[in-house]
Amino acid sequence: MAQEVTGVIDRIIFCNEENDYRVVKITPDNPRPPTPVDDGTVTVVGTMPAFREGDSIQFTGKWENNKRFGRQFRARTAVQRMPRTESEIISYLSSDKVKGIGPDTAAKIVDLFGEATFEILDENPYRVSEVSGIRPAIVERFVKDWTKNHVQRHMLNFLQEYLGFSSRLARRIYASYGAETRRSIRTDPYILTTDEFLTFKEADDIARKLGMLDGHGERLRAGVLQAVTDFARDGHTFAPRNGALARAAKFLKIEDKSELSGPLNDLLNAEELGEEELENDKNGKQLRAIYLPRFWHAENAVAEKLRDMARRSSGLIHLHRNTDWTRFLADLSRSENLSLSRQQENAVRAALTSKISVLTGGPGTGKTATLRMLVSAMRQRGHVFHLAAPTGRAARRLSDATDNIASTIHRLLKWDPDTNGFTFHEGNHLRTDIVVIDEASMLDLLLFNSLLKALQPSTHLLLVGDIDQLPSVGAGNVLSDVINSDIAKITRLNQVFRQDDKSHIASNAHRINLGQQPFIDNESSDFFFFKNIRDSEAVADMIVDIVTRRIPNRWGLDPARDIQVIAPMRKGMIGVNNLNSRLQQALNGGKTAQVKFGNRILRVGDKVMQTRNDYDKEVFNGDIGFIQSIDTAEKTLKIRFDYGDNASSLKAQIGESDENNYDDFLEPLPDSDLITYQFSETDDLTLAYCITVHKSQGSEFPVVVMPIHTQQSWMLRRNLLYTAITRAKQLVVLVGTRGALQQAVENDNVDERHSGLLQRLQS
């Protein structure tokens, strides 16, 4: 049971403004031995708002004995109490919380209203005008501040004192709902789940505290909505009706899922969910699909747009109607000093003569060479074109490979944070003949829909990607659905070019993709397997040794910049979190400037990754950089993100007179400038010495090191292993056991993604 301590803050011992952790000394209202120390104060620690000395606070939490600091109170909640005595009230009124009121005026207010000052002013703050000598302008400012503080005070008290939220969470919720906080939560506590403040179980506990019974309609509807949302988070664009009801029944602890049909129908009638009959791909029978509205609208819009694009002609098609392709491609090959196979030539031709085309193939099959030839053809013919990819690193690779400007899709469409939308959309199309999207396996449905909205019906679209990689993190199965729909001209490259007798990266990737065990004799120049390490801690030790000593000593590579550790899971001895901690200590554990955020430590020199799109900074999810400086006085750190060296020079190569002029509407990837982060923004950063396989998509690294162990057994799948090793350009090192590798290769169970796009494209 939670304990309680109340008192006035005597002094503030320590505060961390980034995470609001504070250590304060208070003079308790009712001191009881042995609670206070010799000077009559109590030490209180925990996360709390920026209280000041003299504030009267009610803390809830528990007593504990700290080995170093002795007996102290660890607070979970901290609620400011209104002053009670006249001197406390005067101190509050003359503080910076109430602008324009000095000690003399505060004393006059208390002289007039006495200890009932707060009750009187809460009821009608304009009564302060009754104080002699107070100016009308001061009255208006006072009323504004008092009303704001009154609302905030009562809302935070409701969240902390009544609902038991931490101070930090309470302030986040209040910042979102403001004066409507109490009403919104009392009406529907599950709104906190929708807005991702709480898990469903946590919201469920709050609902019970507010008096909602297990069978309450709001609870059942929220459970069904949460189940469908969970399907979307797992990558599905819809949830099968029976599956959604079964999942909801499980965490609502309802034995008969049919009891949830009514709440589901309520959500359908309110149009918070949508339902449609679709054909089940497995057995051809009808399937009742439950959609979140945004995915239903996106699927229909994507299908309609692609069909409309496919049936229209274009200027490129007319221009190339009489092209002698044999001669044209031969001339291009000579000018580029590049020879293409028949498949590659067909891909170039398809991009220029088909409205929608796809180029797919594994590593070493020549996708990059094909793109270089296509870019050369487009420039020679004066076509306006754009190259883009879902992530910054993928865009950089595309730019490097083609010697042309490439951008993220978000930069291509120009995200506008003020409108929370893209500048280019169905009412303001991109002026372009063709758009090429690389790493298209990463495209999710919602981003693909935004891209298509920005394209003119006459624009050509080429999707380039490896269909055998992991699917997108976001909902949808875009590349696979487009390929299987027959709406696009498909070129599959299956001849491996990038290979020599001593190279096994490409050949092993293809063997894994075919379900064959890779060559692990360690006789190649670029593929090695430490294959008899059964203890997971020993695997972690070996990975640290490989990264910090073996590879740098043998190949002279930088352990942080050239080597990327990739792991299937976050948790465990060989998960991302532990390996990051181990590698940070091994590679950057010296006496450099650092800052601590809870259990996290960031140091100058650390390799970090952005985990959320930040449109103001133009830094995107998956971008990797290095911390260059930390300023504890200004509470900032600066990071140099790795976008490549040629972004600015490419613009000079293209030239201002070129018809393919990007200046009007497209910014290239930025140079490697320093990006400044406030300490409060570092929640968007994580260490990147080790990253997940999903986070590695769209990137290439000189060296990839990966644990492969039975501790990760439920994650060991063929497409995950294939994706990881195809991220390496020069060297792959696996560490673990033969059995785990065999399990990964043999496990071809790809989670089925529920998507209605294919059926809509075919209908």
Side-chain angles (χ1 to χ4, degrees), residues 290-309:
I290 307 298
Y291 279 90
L292 293 170
R294 62 182 180 275
F295 293 110
W296 186 86
H297 289 299
E299 265 193 7
N300 281 282
V302 166
E304 182 179 354
K305 180 71 174 185
L306 286 176
R307 288 197 302 266
D308 184 50
M309 288 174 63

Side-chain angles (χ1 to χ4, degrees), residues 100-116:
I101 302 295
D104 292 341
T105 304
K108 290 181 180 180
I109 295 173
V110 175
D111 284 343
L112 182 63
F113 299 130
E115 292 185 359

Side-chain angles (χ1 to χ4, degrees), residues 20-35:
D20 291 332
Y21 181 84
R22 287 174 168 78
V23 179
V24 300
K25 289 277 191 179
I26 70 167
T27 301
D29 291 347
N30 299 304
R32 296 173 185 162
T35 297

